Amino acid sequence: MTTPRPDPTPPDWTAIRADFPLLQREVHGKPLVYLDSANTGQKPAAVIDAVDDFFRRHNANVSRAVHALGTEATEAYEGARAKLAGFLKVHRDELVLCSGTTFALNLVAYSWALPRLGPGDVVLLTRMEHHANIVPWQLVAERTGATIRVAELLPDGSLDLDALYAAMTGEVKLLGLAHVSNVLGTVNPVREICREARRRGIVTVVDGSQAVPHRAVDVPALGCDFYALTGHKMCGPTGTGALWARRELLAQMPPFLGGGEMIKEVRFEGSVFNDPPHHFEAGTPNIAGHVGLGVATDYLSAIGMDAIEAREAELLAHATEALTAIDGLRILGTAPEKAAVISFLLDGAHAHDLATLLDLEGVAVRSGQHCAHPLLQFYGVPATCRASFAFYNTHDEIERFAEAIRKVRRLLA
Ligand code: PLP
């Protein structure tokens, strides 16, 4: 599905990069090369300014005060919900705003799964899930007697689809699936998988954290039941995100947290809950953060998600070629459908040492297990370095990154 760009001329990537104040800084006396966008993305000035402006001019609580500021804050917050809904092509009433993917997946686990699962039921997960799409299901499984089943990978980091479909037996009630792997960059064929799951009556929960920032996502077209995303990887502030759910499922789900904002009426005999999605938004939300997230969706849309996807594919091809040429460097994850994430190992260097030495060259990569222990167990390695790219990275940065690895290699020789 494509998002039409308002302006057909190619984006000016140099000007776009200049929108990100942090990317202008140095670390250890070297110009920063930020290759950790899968961890968290950098923020354009438009988002920073929107958060600043909210606190300077409009700050008030939402849905409570009738005074002017209260109305402005509520309009800004609900306006952000509408922007995010438009970005994902969903209806705003199907979008629960929350602190991010972790909250969103726990909401599904506790509100949808906990009351429904029982002994003999199975939650099917893929080997490449982030802990946020594993641990909530383990907690629910412990309390319900359900079990977890794992869908394995092929050596290149693609899902073994035959094995996945074979694992979709009658006991499987729910499938948890990453749209894009945060470690390998593998892009899963979510539409096809959700169609197969639906044919078998399995509810699908898609973790869209690493997809939404990098490609146009038409959520209803995917055919899933739940879709979780996080704002801080898509140019938005931390502590923002959303859960999209099919309207009929949302309506059947009991509240997860109780408190203010999520009720219509409270008596000591019992409470009447607000309508979905508000009955999942107890307490004061991250108002300014979501206002910033709304502006982030405007920012991304103005560039165009198809242009972003194409730009990042170019950067990935360049970086893959540059890294492959380095002796002793091994890339984990070479699926044909891949987003701009490269996990790698260098002979003779522990991932943390390598990341520390790269940092001294100004290059920020993540090292460790990337909140995906079972995936690293599959590859039999204790840790990897991970370089993750965004549209604001440059070809020159990739050259500097490769040169920094070569320098580390010489140092360690
Ligand atoms: N799922 C994936 C695939 C991720 O990459 C991340 C963040 O690293 C998360 C879930 C958790 O997102 P958050 O920390 O915003 O809740």
Side-chain angles (χ1 to χ4, degrees):
M1 193 70 194
T2 56
T3 306
R5 285 186 59 234
D7 175 0
T9 56
D12 176 348
W13 297 112
T14 308
I16 287 169
R17 181 181 169 86
D19 290 338
F20 291 78
L22 187 142
L23 297 178
Q24 323 303 323
R25 68 163 283 185
E26 297 190 338
V27 290
H28 306 302
K30 310 253 167 69
L32 169 68
V33 177
Y34 185 75
L35 301 181
D36 199 18
S37 293
N39 205 354
T40 197
Q42 295 305 341
K43 321 301 175 201
V47 169
I48 299 168
D49 292 349
V51 174
D52 180 84
D53 181 64
F54 179 82
F55 282 126
R56 283 181 194 279
R57 293 174 37 80
H58 308 288
N59 182 46
N61 212 329
V62 289
S63 316
R64 292 181 186 182
V66 295
H67 55 67
L69 289 183
T71 307
E72 286 171 24
T74 303
E75 283 175 3
Y77 184 67
E78 290 305 324
R81 189 193 310 273
K83 282 176 199 261
L84 186 58
F87 191 69
L88 302 169
K89 315 249 186 316
V90 303
H91 194 279
R92 55 192 285 175
D93 292 345
E94 299 166 333
L95 210 51
V96 180
L97 299 183
C98 61
S99 62
T101 299
T102 302
F103 187 100
L105 295 172
N106 275 277
L107 169 50
V108 182
Y110 285 95
S111 180
W112 187 87
L114 189 60
R116 284 174 178 77
L117 298 187
D121 289 338
V122 171
V123 173
L124 180 58
L125 301 174
T126 85
R127 168 69 67 176
M128 69 177 83
E129 298 312 307
H130 186 282
H131 296 162
N133 207 15
I134 299 175
V135 183
W137 307 116
Q138 290 176 329
L139 295 174
V140 164
E142 253 171 41
R143 286 168 66 171
T144 58
T147 53
I148 308 273
R149 183 177 293 167
V150 181
E152 292 295 351
L153 309 184
L154 299 170
D156 71 354
S158 311
L159 266 179
D160 182 339
L161 290 178
D162 292 335
L164 174 67
Y165 298 146
M168 290 183 181
T169 55
E171 310 83 61
V172 178
K173 295 290 175 297
L174 181 143
L175 167 68
L177 168 74
H179 194 160
V180 173
S181 159
N182 65 312
V183 182
L184 306 171
T186 307
V187 181
N188 287 317
V190 169
R191 203 170 169 153
E192 175 192 325
I193 294 170
C194 289
R195 192 175 53 235
E196 290 299 319
R198 181 162 288 260
R199 283 201 312 124
R200 296 161 169 86
I202 298 169
V203 163
T204 45
V205 184
V206 179
D207 175 351
S209 308
Q210 299 290 348
V212 176
H214 304 291
R215 52 189 51 230
V217 178
D218 179 331
V219 172
L222 295 177
C224 59
D225 294 295
F226 296 99
Y227 195 91
L229 66 128
T230 194
H232 69 96
K233 297 184 202 286
M234 52 183 287
C235 295
T238 47
T240 64
L243 173 73
W244 172 84
R246 273 184 200 288
R247 198 183 293 246
E248 61 274 21
L249 292 181
L250 262 194
Q252 293 162 13
M253 289 161 59
F256 169 42
L257 297 174
E261 313 280 0
M262 52 75 72
I263 40 74
K264 283 183 177 158
E265 191 185 340
V266 177
R267 292 173 186 275
F268 279 113
E269 298 74 36
S271 300
V272 180
F273 303 127
N274 212 332
D275 298 321
H278 306 284
H279 73 313
F280 288 119
E281 296 179 7
T284 300
N286 182 353
I287 308 166
H290 281 96
V291 170
L293 179 57
V295 171
T297 65
D298 287 343
Y299 182 83
L300 293 170
S301 300
I303 299 173
M305 293 310 294
D306 290 342
I308 286 174
E309 186 181 343
R311 164 78 174 173
E312 293 178 1
E314 252 178 40
L315 294 171
L316 175 67
H318 181 177
T320 305
E321 195 185 322
L323 265 56
T324 307
I326 298 174
D327 274 349
L329 190 145
R330 175 180 157 215
I331 294 176
L332 297 185
T334 50
E337 279 293 311
K338 199 179 148 161
V341 174
I342 303 182
S343 270
F344 61 98
L345 299 165
L346 186 66
D347 282 352
H350 188 282
H352 289 311
D353 295 339
L354 177 53
T356 305
L357 292 167
L358 290 175
D359 182 53
L360 294 175
E361 298 301 314
V363 179
V365 297
R366 184 171 172 191
S367 57
Q369 304 201 334
H370 318 294
C371 298
H373 290 184
L375 179 54
L376 269 75
Q377 287 152 15
F378 173 76
Y379 284 105
V381 295
T384 72
C385 275
R386 179 188 71 183
S388 51
F389 304 84
F391 56 88
Y392 44 65
N393 289 122
T394 66
H395 289 284
D396 179 53
E397 285 183 306
I398 290 171
E399 290 301 324
R400 280 164 42 215
F401 169 44
E403 181 47 36
I405 299 177
R406 285 192 290 269
K407 184 169 172 188
V408 172
R409 234 189 126 251
R410 287 194 297 273
L411 270 176
L412 295 174

PDB file of all heavy atoms in Angstrom, residues 100-102 130 132 182 207 209-210 230 232-233, ligand 1:
ATOM      1  N   GLY A 100       3.476   2.913  24.687  1.00  0.00           N
ATOM      2  CA  GLY A 100       4.316   2.272  23.669  1.00  0.00           C
ATOM      3  C   GLY A 100       3.926   0.819  23.489  1.00  0.00           C
ATOM      4  O   GLY A 100       2.921   0.337  24.039  1.00  0.00           O
ATOM      5  N   THR A 101       4.757   0.124  22.733  1.00  0.00           N
ATOM      6  CA  THR A 101       4.441  -1.258  22.377  1.00  0.00           C
ATOM      7  C   THR A 101       4.327  -2.164  23.600  1.00  0.00           C
ATOM      8  O   THR A 101       3.463  -3.040  23.656  1.00  0.00           O
ATOM      9  CB  THR A 101       5.524  -1.789  21.419  1.00  0.00           C
ATOM     10  OG1 THR A 101       5.494  -0.982  20.250  1.00  0.00           O
ATOM     11  CG2 THR A 101       5.281  -3.223  21.053  1.00  0.00           C
ATOM     12  N   THR A 102       5.212  -1.977  24.567  1.00  0.00           N
ATOM     13  CA  THR A 102       5.189  -2.852  25.739  1.00  0.00           C
ATOM     14  C   THR A 102       3.834  -2.773  26.432  1.00  0.00           C
ATOM     15  O   THR A 102       3.219  -3.788  26.764  1.00  0.00           O
ATOM     16  CB  THR A 102       6.326  -2.470  26.705  1.00  0.00           C
ATOM     17  OG1 THR A 102       7.557  -2.572  25.982  1.00  0.00           O
ATOM     18  CG2 THR A 102       6.365  -3.367  27.918  1.00  0.00           C
ATOM     19  N   HIS A 130      10.602  -9.750  20.063  1.00  0.00           N
ATOM     20  CA  HIS A 130      11.175  -8.925  21.144  1.00  0.00           C
ATOM     21  C   HIS A 130      10.575  -9.422  22.459  1.00  0.00           C
ATOM     22  O   HIS A 130       9.449  -9.942  22.479  1.00  0.00           O
ATOM     23  CB  HIS A 130      10.760  -7.475  20.870  1.00  0.00           C
ATOM     24  CG  HIS A 130      11.340  -6.438  21.769  1.00  0.00           C
ATOM     25  ND1 HIS A 130      10.864  -6.206  23.047  1.00  0.00           N
ATOM     26  CD2 HIS A 130      12.332  -5.544  21.579  1.00  0.00           C
ATOM     27  CE1 HIS A 130      11.542  -5.207  23.583  1.00  0.00           C
ATOM     28  NE2 HIS A 130      12.444  -4.786  22.722  1.00  0.00           N
ATOM     29  N   ALA A 132       9.095  -7.982  24.621  1.00  0.00           N
ATOM     30  CA  ALA A 132       7.772  -7.379  24.865  1.00  0.00           C
ATOM     31  C   ALA A 132       6.653  -8.220  24.256  1.00  0.00           C
ATOM     32  O   ALA A 132       5.486  -8.083  24.654  1.00  0.00           O
ATOM     33  CB  ALA A 132       7.721  -5.964  24.287  1.00  0.00           C
ATOM     34  N   ASN A 182      13.565  -6.587  15.086  1.00  0.00           N
ATOM     35  CA  ASN A 182      14.460  -5.513  15.529  1.00  0.00           C
ATOM     36  C   ASN A 182      15.917  -5.926  15.505  1.00  0.00           C
ATOM     37  O   ASN A 182      16.800  -5.081  15.591  1.00  0.00           O
ATOM     38  CB  ASN A 182      14.088  -5.034  16.944  1.00  0.00           C
ATOM     39  CG  ASN A 182      14.279  -6.100  18.002  1.00  0.00           C
ATOM     40  OD1 ASN A 182      13.840  -7.226  17.837  1.00  0.00           O
ATOM     41  ND2 ASN A 182      14.950  -5.758  19.085  1.00  0.00           N
ATOM     42  N   ASP A 207       3.327  -6.954  16.264  1.00  0.00           N
ATOM     43  CA  ASP A 207       4.201  -5.940  16.860  1.00  0.00           C
ATOM     44  C   ASP A 207       4.784  -5.104  15.718  1.00  0.00           C
ATOM     45  O   ASP A 207       5.677  -5.547  15.000  1.00  0.00           O
ATOM     46  CB  ASP A 207       5.302  -6.654  17.662  1.00  0.00           C
ATOM     47  CG  ASP A 207       6.335  -5.683  18.235  1.00  0.00           C
ATOM     48  OD1 ASP A 207       6.300  -4.489  17.874  1.00  0.00           O
ATOM     49  OD2 ASP A 207       7.177  -6.127  19.029  1.00  0.00           O
ATOM     50  N   SER A 209       6.421  -2.225  15.931  1.00  0.00           N
ATOM     51  CA  SER A 209       7.398  -1.221  16.394  1.00  0.00           C
ATOM     52  C   SER A 209       8.432  -0.843  15.343  1.00  0.00           C
ATOM     53  O   SER A 209       8.815   0.319  15.222  1.00  0.00           O
ATOM     54  CB  SER A 209       8.183  -1.756  17.601  1.00  0.00           C
ATOM     55  OG  SER A 209       7.345  -2.215  18.588  1.00  0.00           O
ATOM     56  N   GLN A 210       8.922  -1.860  14.618  1.00  0.00           N
ATOM     57  CA  GLN A 210      10.019  -1.592  13.685  1.00  0.00           C
ATOM     58  C   GLN A 210       9.521  -1.439  12.253  1.00  0.00           C
ATOM     59  O   GLN A 210      10.333  -1.270  11.338  1.00  0.00           O
ATOM     60  CB  GLN A 210      11.041  -2.747  13.740  1.00  0.00           C
ATOM     61  CG  GLN A 210      11.683  -2.938  15.098  1.00  0.00           C
ATOM     62  CD  GLN A 210      12.653  -1.814  15.467  1.00  0.00           C
ATOM     63  OE1 GLN A 210      13.034  -0.986  14.635  1.00  0.00           O
ATOM     64  NE2 GLN A 210      13.057  -1.774  16.718  1.00  0.00           N
ATOM     65  N   THR A 230       5.050   1.934  18.712  1.00  0.00           N
ATOM     66  CA  THR A 230       5.665   2.806  19.693  1.00  0.00           C
ATOM     67  C   THR A 230       6.079   4.111  19.013  1.00  0.00           C
ATOM     68  O   THR A 230       6.534   4.096  17.875  1.00  0.00           O
ATOM     69  CB  THR A 230       6.849   2.048  20.340  1.00  0.00           C
ATOM     70  OG1 THR A 230       7.264   2.729  21.506  1.00  0.00           O
ATOM     71  CG2 THR A 230       8.025   1.869  19.422  1.00  0.00           C
ATOM     72  N   HIS A 232       8.411   6.423  19.956  1.00  0.00           N
ATOM     73  CA  HIS A 232       9.771   6.965  20.015  1.00  0.00           C
ATOM     74  C   HIS A 232      10.679   6.454  18.908  1.00  0.00           C
ATOM     75  O   HIS A 232      11.769   6.987  18.712  1.00  0.00           O
ATOM     76  CB  HIS A 232      10.390   6.697  21.396  1.00  0.00           C
ATOM     77  CG  HIS A 232      10.692   5.258  21.693  1.00  0.00           C
ATOM     78  ND1 HIS A 232      11.942   4.734  21.493  1.00  0.00           N
ATOM     79  CD2 HIS A 232       9.934   4.253  22.169  1.00  0.00           C
ATOM     80  CE1 HIS A 232      11.927   3.443  21.868  1.00  0.00           C
ATOM     81  NE2 HIS A 232      10.719   3.134  22.274  1.00  0.00           N
ATOM     82  N   LYS A 233      10.244   5.439  18.179  1.00  0.00           N
ATOM     83  CA  LYS A 233      11.068   4.966  17.057  1.00  0.00           C
ATOM     84  C   LYS A 233      10.636   5.632  15.754  1.00  0.00           C
ATOM     85  O   LYS A 233      11.201   5.360  14.701  1.00  0.00           O
ATOM     86  CB  LYS A 233      10.946   3.445  16.932  1.00  0.00           C
ATOM     87  CG  LYS A 233      11.467   2.702  18.159  1.00  0.00           C
ATOM     88  CD  LYS A 233      11.409   1.215  17.953  1.00  0.00           C
ATOM     89  CE  LYS A 233      11.399   0.448  19.249  1.00  0.00           C
ATOM     90  NZ  LYS A 233      12.667   0.396  19.945  1.00  0.00           N
TER      91      LYS A 233
HETATM   92  N1  PLP B   1       9.000  -4.635  19.979  1.00  0.00           N
HETATM   93  C1  PLP B   1      10.057  -4.377  19.196  1.00  0.00           C
HETATM   94  C2  PLP B   1      10.215  -5.153  17.921  1.00  0.00           C
HETATM   95  C3  PLP B   1      10.974  -3.390  19.562  1.00  0.00           C
HETATM   96  O1  PLP B   1      12.027  -3.154  18.779  1.00  0.00           O
HETATM   97  C4  PLP B   1      10.771  -2.678  20.773  1.00  0.00           C
HETATM   98  C5  PLP B   1      11.752  -1.666  21.218  1.00  0.00           C
HETATM   99  O2  PLP B   1      12.947  -1.874  21.170  1.00  0.00           O
HETATM  100  C6  PLP B   1       9.651  -2.975  21.552  1.00  0.00           C
HETATM  101  C7  PLP B   1       8.783  -3.960  21.123  1.00  0.00           C
HETATM  102  C8  PLP B   1       9.360  -2.255  22.839  1.00  0.00           C
HETATM  103  O3  PLP B   1       8.917  -0.981  22.564  1.00  0.00           O
HETATM  104  P1  PLP B   1       8.710   0.060  23.771  1.00  0.00           P
HETATM  105  O4  PLP B   1       9.965   0.038  24.584  1.00  0.00           O
HETATM  106  O5  PLP B   1       8.529   1.362  23.116  1.00  0.00           O
HETATM  107  O6  PLP B   1       7.537  -0.387  24.513  1.00  0.00           O
END
